[in-house]
Amino acid sequence: EPEVTQTPSHQVTQMGQEVILRCVPISNHLYFYWYRQILGQKVEFLVSFYNNEISEKSEIFDDQFSVERPDGSNFTLKIRSTKLEDSAMYFCASRVTGMRQPQHFGDGTRLSIL
Amino acid sequence: KQEVTQIPAALSVPEGENLVLNCSFTDSAIYNLQWFRQDPGKGLTSLLLIQSSQREQTSGRLNASLDKSSGRSTLYIAASQPGDSATYLCAAPTGGGNKLTFGTGTQLKVEL
């Protein structure tokens, strides 16, 4: 069965450094999402992306965050200048067209900011 | 704004027991609701997707129900096993892009 794949599984970065989290959504999916989960807290929506542009973003998704689909297969989340509070598990998800379709999630990237 | 609540926050049961996990949501204008399982430090495994037109959805020992009018969904686990120990999350979609709003989860422990 097709899967959403995320790399790396764990990223350790110094505060202030830029980090790029990578996702390969399922190939025929057109809607892409990033969520994050701070340890012990809820999974929170960050951003949704469709047709090469952001369709919705949360208050968390400020100017330090950006997303990109640089080619036909990858979907990336960039954090420009990481803060300690960016430490979290980041999940990528994708779905096909259709409001009734489920989102399929990757296994996540654990981001640790030192 | 969609808000999703799950009770109980934690549950410990002996093996073999049937159990019910509860999820409530404030905005009933949803197309569906998803239930996920999360093992400690791991990703999200989709268990069931129940459409708004359905009242129940079953997969093996799991059964999810949805009552949009009351803003509630339940996940029923039959004959629980130690391998069912995990955190169970429900998530309701909102907005044009169908972003998911997650509950805080129910942490289930099934003991031998």
Side-chain angles (χ1 to χ4, degrees), chain B residues 40-57:
Chain B
K42 301 295 184 184
L44 304 172
T45 302
S46 184
L47 297 173
L48 286 165
L49 172 77
I50 181 164
Q51 300 291 352
S52 58
S53 56
Q54 298 174 302
R55 289 195 65 85
E56 288 188 1
Q57 181 70 264

Side-chain angles (χ1 to χ4, degrees), chain A residues 33 35 37 42-43 45 56 89 91 95 99-100 102-103 105 107 110, chain B residues 4 31-32 34 38 41 43-44 51-52 96-100 102 104:
Chain A
Y33 306 82
Y35 295 84
Q37 185 180 33
K42 281 188 185 189
V43 177
F45 167 77
E56 188 173 359
M89 182 78 99
F91 294 108
R95 70 170 172 91
M99 300 294 270
R100 296 188 177 276
Q103 292 183 26
F105 281 75
D107 286 339
R110 180 167 300 284
Chain B
V4 179
Y31 289 98
N32 51 48
Q34 274 184 271
Q38 186 176 33
L44 304 172
Q51 300 291 352
S52 58
N98 259 9
K99 68 180 183 187
L100 291 178
F102 283 80
T104 46

